[in-house]
Amino acid sequence: MDDFAPASEDVPISKEHGIQDWDDPETCILWPKARAAIAQIKATGRLPPGHTSNDHLNQLAEVGIEADVEAHWRAELVRVVDESAARGEDIVWVLVDGFVLYYDAVVASLLDVKLFVQVPYDVLKARREKRSTYALQNPDSVGEVWTDPPNYFDNIVYPGYLKAHAHLFANGDVEHGALLPDTGITVLRPGEGVPGMTKIVTEAGEVLVADVEVGDKVLVDEEA
């Protein structure tokens, strides 16, 4: 979803903290552009013409999974595709990732499978602080980078995360509340390292294979 972030000069300043707020779900995504792009992908199985991304410029630590589990799910997805092809149908897998992905009702309605990766506050904070510098995604901001100022996670990022997901949980309690039954979202709670990644791949694969239907599909995996 960072592909749909606004240009740096259009990011609002937090009235409370006096710094740019890149994480308020109301303003951190150009929602009309995101809706149109995802709708086109769902209809055609292709990215909109001229769509660009700078996300490859960001460095993320790779976490592997157990080899036998990786082999199993590769084979399972091939099986699903082959069985569909035998019926004269093509499956197009599209992964849409973003930590405010479910804030917008229109975007959420376009997604066939919804997964929410939920991890504790301290893990979220540690991960954010390991990757606190970002290449900006908007085409008007090519070459620019953003580095989190001190206390940015606690003052801006985490409040934005809670705001973006409060409507999904009982009493608006993202940390401890139960997921509301009408969201259509499956919550995944991985651990750390290879065992944690293996667990989440297995659970996500089970949901995907169980829910896949005839026709093009959009797979959604949100990393908090």
Side-chain angles (χ1 to χ4, degrees), residues 20-42:
Q20 282 189 304
D21 185 343
W22 286 88
D23 293 87
D24 187 320
E26 293 183 26
T27 56
C28 69
I29 297 295
L30 300 174
W31 289 111
K33 183 178 179 181
R35 294 174 197 136
I38 295 173
Q40 179 166 337
I41 293 168
K42 187 176 178 69

Side-chain angles (χ1 to χ4, degrees), residues 2-219:
D2 284 352
D3 290 357
F4 306 107
S8 57
E9 63 267 22
D10 296 327
V11 176
I13 302 295
S14 166
K15 294 180 180 179
E16 181 178 358
H17 301 290
I19 55 176
Q20 282 189 304
D21 185 343
W22 286 88
D23 293 87
D24 187 320
E26 293 183 26
T27 56
C28 69
I29 297 295
L30 300 174
W31 289 111
K33 183 178 179 181
R35 294 174 197 136
I38 295 173
Q40 179 166 337
I41 293 168
K42 187 176 178 69
T44 67
R46 296 179 178 86
L47 289 168
H51 180 85
T52 60
S53 176
N54 297 328
D55 201 48
H56 63 285
L57 299 176
N58 291 314
Q59 294 184 350
L60 299 177
E62 292 188 9
V63 179
I65 65 172
E66 295 169 10
D68 58 333
V69 173
E70 179 180 356
H72 169 76
W73 286 109
R74 285 184 180 275
E76 274 292 277
L77 295 181
V78 169
R79 177 187 64 79
V80 170
V81 170
D82 287 348
E83 289 179 356
S84 295
R87 297 192 298 268
E89 302 157 354
D90 291 327
I91 290 181
V92 177
W93 309 104
V94 180
L95 178 67
V96 185
D97 167 81
F99 103 123
V100 297
L101 186 61
Y102 302 132
Y103 181 75
D104 185 82
V106 175
V107 167
S109 72
L110 293 169
L111 307 173
D112 295 305
V113 179
K114 305 181 184 71
L115 306 177
F116 178 67
V117 181
Q118 188 177 45
V119 296
Y121 160 86
D122 57 338
V123 176
L124 290 176
K125 184 173 183 177
R127 289 178 178 175
R128 175 74 183 211
E129 291 178 347
K130 285 182 180 179
R131 51 181 173 86
S132 60
T133 298
Y134 298 85
L136 302 187
Q137 301 299 308
N138 189 286
D140 294 332
S141 303
V142 172
E144 297 182 45
V145 296
W146 164 265
T147 300
D148 289 352
N151 302 314
Y152 189 75
F153 180 85
D154 287 322
N155 291 337
I156 301 293
V157 177
Y158 199 65
Y161 165 71
L162 296 178
K163 178 179 178 179
H165 298 93
H167 66 290
L168 303 175
F169 291 86
N171 301 315
D173 187 351
V174 179
E175 296 175 314
H176 307 293
L179 187 72
L180 296 175
D182 60 349
T183 62
I185 295 172
T186 298
V187 175
L188 306 176
R189 298 181 176 89
E192 289 291 299
V194 171
M197 185 61 71
T198 299
K199 174 179 181 290
I200 199 173
V201 167
T202 297
E203 293 175 353
E206 290 170 350
V207 172
L208 177 60
V209 171
D211 282 48
V212 70
E213 298 174 348
V214 175
D216 293 348
K217 284 295 170 187
V218 178
L219 166 65

